[in-house]
Amino acid sequence: MKRSFLFAVLTACVLVPGLLVGCGGSSGIPTVKIGIYEPASGDNGAGGKQETLGAIYANEVIPTVEIGGKEYKVELVRVDNESSNDKAVTAASELVSKGVSVVLGSYGSGVSIAASDTFAAADIPAIGITCTNPQVTLGNDHYFRICFLDPFQGTVLAKFAVDNFKAKKAYCLAKLGDDYSVGLCNYFIKAFEGLGGKVTFETFPEGTSDFAAYVANAKNTGADVFFSPVSTEAAALIIEQANTQGMGMPILAGDTWDSNVILGAVKGTNVDINVTTFFAEGSTDTRVAEFVEKFRSWIKADSARITDNGGNDIIAANPVMSYDAYNVALEALKLAGSTKGADIKAALPKVKYEGITGLIEFDQTGDAKRDVAYVKHANNQTGSWEFVAIQSVK
């Protein structure tokens, strides 16, 4: 009987999802699971892969966490939401079924919003990394985020257009039905018109691959700036047409364009690109510089990591933000003293963490208290970012 009972317990530890926390892994310590809810394919696959890299690196640097006086191994559970609102619920449900305690992601506000109810029903908190649409956290108590929001980002970009390019007319282009690009365009338009500017706004449908007409329309309006915070896949095509047609006006975009895909597309062209983002290399802070050096070395050590980083070792903001988000999750687990989602959710508002991207703490809505953005310019000759300014709306 004793042998049969022991066999049953061991079998349960192997077969029952989530029971590994109680039984312990092969190392003899229990495991807590953090879900990585990111796109590895679709329009935002490039950004999702970079964001995932940051979490993987963080997990290798800090693979364990103390919860309630006991050491736990941290296991990352990854799913691909395919950059699709239609696939979002399935991907989120997979994380729930695999017993994650907290979720990180997603790159893309639309898929974050689409999965929100699934996480809420399972009482699992989610920490948005770079999903900037206000709807992600609005009206719920389970979604948090560590980035600034689009109303702020749109206002910063509008002010930058006026201050740096003396812009009086702007052309805005978004993807029809896309929460992020349509929302950010609307915030930019409101701020730009509030500064006395005039705007022409257009949207393109799903599946668009030819942006020649839109670039031509922008030229015909006599716009001073072209604003299009769309996916990197669409951005590369827009850049190609802007170069072919000699568009002649600077392009402004939000955080999605802080990508090595953009640098590859703009190199060797005459296109002028400026973006807002959450972090920029070149800091004189020793701690930040040391992090960048170690993270870059880690990426270069594996060809697959280089591929997922966009083909080079340039450090964009989103993997660094993901590194910080992972550590915020660990802080919440420590404060909760529990692996239960409800306890972690209750602990998150109390987290105060000094990250690589700055101090992270949350307001009553679950949003990070951030009031500055980094502005970067893409050097179209070298294919590298140049730091322009740290800018607020003040």
Side-chain angles (χ1 to χ4, degrees):
M1 290 293 291
K2 290 183 179 179
R3 291 177 62 186
S4 299
F5 176 76
L6 177 61
F7 177 77
V9 171
L10 291 174
T11 301
C13 289
V14 173
L15 296 180
V16 180
L19 198 59
L20 187 61
V21 171
C23 298
S26 59
S27 61
I29 65 173
T31 299
V32 59
K33 297 179 180 180
I34 294 179
I36 306 300
Y37 174 69
E38 295 285 357
S41 57
D43 288 352
N44 290 319
K49 288 177 181 178
Q50 282 188 302
E51 215 153 90
T52 299
L53 275 178
I56 294 172
Y57 176 66
N59 183 239
E60 289 194 14
V61 173
I62 310 173
T64 63
V65 60
E66 186 175 306
I67 305 172
K70 182 185 295 184
E71 184 182 25
Y72 282 70
K73 176 185 176 182
V74 182
E75 177 187 342
L76 300 184
V77 181
R78 296 157 59 183
V79 295
D80 178 11
N81 60 43
E82 301 180 47
S83 309
S84 169
N85 292 0
D86 294 337
K87 305 291 179 60
V89 173
T90 300
S93 297
E94 183 179 344
L95 289 177
V96 172
S97 70
K98 290 183 176 178
V100 301
S101 296
V102 59
V103 171
L104 305 183
S106 174
Y107 186 94
S109 295
V111 288
S112 299
I113 295 167
S116 183
D117 287 347
T118 302
F119 296 137
D123 217 3
I124 295 173
I127 303 172
I129 301 170
T130 59
C131 44
T132 51
N133 188 293
Q135 296 298 319
V136 173
T137 57
L138 192 63
N140 69 69
D141 64 354
H142 66 278
Y143 231 118
F144 297 76
R145 77 178 118 207
I146 68 165
C147 58
F148 52 63
L149 274 64
D150 285 335
F152 170 76
Q153 182 171 210
T155 303
V156 164
L157 284 159
K159 190 173 185 298
F160 183 77
V162 172
D163 291 349
N164 289 266
F165 300 114
K166 311 302 178 187
K168 296 180 179 179
K169 292 183 179 181
Y171 175 87
C172 295
L173 180 65
K175 179 181 176 181
L176 184 65
D178 175 45
D179 295 302
Y180 172 77
S181 61
V182 172
L184 185 48
C185 276
N186 285 332
Y187 292 119
F188 175 89
I189 291 168
K190 181 180 179 181
F192 190 75
E193 290 179 340
L195 293 170
K198 295 183 178 180
V199 177
T200 299
F201 179 40
E202 289 191 296
T203 59
F204 61 87
E206 175 79 36
T208 299
S209 60
D210 185 355
F211 289 87
Y214 299 104
V215 172
N217 289 348
K219 293 176 65 177
N220 291 336
T221 65
D224 300 305
V225 293
F226 184 109
F227 180 60
S228 188
V230 295
S231 70
T232 55
E233 185 176 71
L237 298 171
I238 291 170
I239 293 167
E240 179 184 350
Q241 278 301 315
N243 185 57
T244 299
Q245 296 189 39
M247 190 169 70
M249 71 186 80
I251 296 178
L252 303 182
D255 55 282
T256 54
W257 283 42
D258 180 15
S259 166
N260 295 340
V261 173
I262 303 301
L263 294 179
V266 77
K267 187 175 181 180
T269 71
N270 60 5
V271 180
D272 180 7
I273 295 174
N274 299 270
V275 306
T276 45
T277 189
F278 316 102
F279 169 84
E281 282 195 65
S283 171
T284 56
D285 186 307
T286 303
R287 179 168 166 264
V288 174
E290 288 178 354
F291 169 84
V292 170
E293 182 181 355
K294 290 178 180 178
F295 186 39
R296 177 176 285 114
S297 296
W298 180 80
I299 290 173
K300 291 167 66 176
D302 188 314
S303 60
R305 295 172 194 159
I306 294 174
T307 298
D308 284 351
N309 195 53
N312 56 44
D313 63 352
I314 295 172
I315 309 300
N318 49 331
V320 186
M321 291 284 284
S322 185
Y323 179 92
D324 278 353
Y326 174 89
N327 281 282
V328 167
L330 296 194
E331 290 300 308
L333 284 162
K334 293 175 188 175
L335 284 173
S338 166
T339 61
K340 293 181 179 179
D343 295 333
I344 300 164
K345 182 176 69 175
L348 272 164
K350 307 168 190 174
V351 169
K352 189 172 184 179
Y353 175 72
E354 187 64 51
I356 301 300
T357 62
L359 178 64
I360 299 170
E361 53 184 338
F362 302 105
D363 63 17
Q364 293 182 340
T365 310
D367 295 320
K369 299 176 181 179
R370 292 185 184 261
D371 59 1
V372 297
Y374 293 85
V375 182
K376 300 197 297 190
H377 172 259
N379 187 312
N380 54 26
Q381 299 306 305
T382 62
S384 60
W385 290 115
E386 296 174 344
F387 173 72
V388 176
I390 297 177
Q391 187 156 333
S392 70
V393 296
K394 297 176 183 179

